Amino acid sequence: MIGFIGLGVMGRPMAEHLITAGHKVALYRVKPASQFLVDKGGIALDNARAVAEASDIVILMLPDTPDVEDVLFGADGVAEGLSAGKLVIDMSSISPMATRTFAERLKQKGVGYLDAPVSGGEMGAKNAALTIMVGGEQTDFERALPLLEIMGKSITHIGGVGDGQTAKVANQIIVGLTIEAVAEALLFARRAGADVAKVREALMGGFAASRILEVHGQRMIDETFDPGFRIRLHRKDLSLAADAAKALNLALPNTAMTQQLMNAALAIGLGDKDHSALIAALDHLSAPGK
């Protein structure tokens, strides 16, 4: 039995792929949006402890570090239902430092732990095409790999526990800063009076070409900002980068600037829009018409 906790925008299709592949999957926090997983054969249980008791491997896909800690170690949490030989795979994007602490606590129970955060967004989850960055012991990785291959396309064992989360934070730095750069460029082109679609087309043929210019640049032109990946979640990831930079005495000035732009986006009500809506935050800050 596989346990799956975290049935949000990303978790629902990931759990669905496991069920479709023939696995028995125990689920917790089934809501109307995830009821279809039960209809497909998933097994709804009352709490995280029950999921852990019923499962050999428990997968988490939760929003933030406190959520993972609560599901693991809170009342009726996963840890209460675990026994030696079981494996936890946390596919959330959380603090690398906290990840190492969680893994050590479970290691004392004889439980394996992998951090396996993902990149690829909702479409990557739906298409089983996620990029998965894994930290943990090699034996645990080999045990988990057949499951990860059901949910993802590019799977890399980075190193020890916490290294998967470190890779994900690095990914989010690159993605966030590149989205911000594309937003600045396209806003500049629009305010200068150029045909923004033509500008993007030209840039896609040069050294500025990128997947973000291709996908998010089109969203910016069309102003289609339904998530996708919410700005408030990307801001959380850049907060993880800022916290790690502080611990490492490391300067990440452009990461800090992009995090502040995301703060501004939340302040004007864009927190639940796709992160391509950073262009709308820049537009607002640029005082249109003045």
Side-chain angles (χ1 to χ4, degrees):
M1 180 87 75
I2 307 301
F4 203 107
I5 301 174
L7 303 175
V9 169
M10 298 287 289
R12 287 193 296 271
M14 292 165 69
E16 182 180 12
H17 292 314
L18 294 172
I19 294 169
T20 301
H23 290 283
K24 291 184 178 180
V25 179
L27 307 167
Y28 172 48
R29 290 179 179 168
V30 173
K31 297 178 180 179
S34 49
Q35 179 60 40
F36 74 96
L37 295 171
V38 176
D39 298 338
K40 283 179 171 285
I43 302 166
L45 297 178
D46 292 336
N47 53 52
R49 173 182 53 77
V51 170
E53 288 174 344
S55 306
D56 298 311
I57 298 176
V58 179
I59 298 172
L60 309 180
M61 189 60 180
L62 300 163
D64 204 348
T65 307
D67 302 293
V68 173
E69 183 172 21
D70 181 61
V71 166
L72 284 175
F73 303 111
D76 285 327
V78 167
E80 293 184 13
L82 293 173
S83 55
K86 294 191 176 186
L87 175 64
V88 171
I89 307 173
D90 181 22
M91 304 188 76
S92 320
S93 295
I94 69 168
S95 163
M97 289 78 78
T99 290
R100 295 185 178 103
T101 299
F102 299 162
E104 186 59 35
R105 291 176 68 177
L106 294 183
K107 185 178 180 180
Q108 295 172 12
K109 297 173 67 72
V111 174
Y113 194 101
L114 294 174
D115 52 298
V118 306
S119 179
E122 182 180 3
M123 290 308 299
K126 287 182 175 179
N127 295 328
L130 293 168
T131 295
I132 305 176
M133 297 153 266
V134 188
E137 297 289 339
Q138 180 67 31
T139 52
D140 291 332
F141 173 71
E142 292 172 358
R143 181 180 176 186
L145 186 58
L147 299 179
L148 301 179
E149 288 176 334
I150 293 170
M151 297 178 284
K153 186 175 181 180
S154 175
I155 302 160
T156 305
H157 185 203
I158 307 295
V161 169
D163 288 350
Q165 297 294 354
T166 296
K168 178 59 187 290
V169 171
N171 179 85
Q172 294 303 80
I173 291 172
I174 293 170
V175 171
L177 270 62
T178 306
I179 288 175
E180 195 279 334
V182 169
E184 284 195 17
L186 296 186
L187 180 62
F188 165 75
R190 188 171 75 202
R191 290 291 187 90
D195 183 328
V196 181
K198 289 293 185 181
V199 170
R200 174 183 165 278
E201 181 182 343
L203 296 179
M204 283 299 298
F207 204 57
S210 70
R211 180 67 172 159
I212 287 173
L213 177 60
E214 177 187 359
V215 175
H216 292 79
Q218 190 63 55
R219 290 177 182 174
M220 292 174 189
I221 292 169
D222 296 338
E223 297 185 348
T224 53
F225 299 137
D226 293 335
F229 189 69
R230 289 175 171 82
I231 289 176
R232 69 172 67 254
L233 292 177
H234 203 149
R235 182 185 69 162
K236 178 264 297 183
D237 291 341
L238 293 191
S239 296
L240 295 175
D243 292 343
K246 181 178 180 180
L248 296 168
N249 295 320
L250 178 65
L252 298 178
N254 291 319
T255 299
M257 182 277 296
T258 303
Q259 181 189 19
Q260 288 298 315
L261 180 59
M262 290 180 178
N263 287 343
L266 265 73
I268 60 174
L270 297 174
D272 289 319
K273 299 296 185 182
D274 183 76
H275 46 186
S276 57
L278 282 183
I279 192 170
L282 285 169
D283 192 40
H284 179 84
L285 291 171
S286 299
K290 294 183 180 181

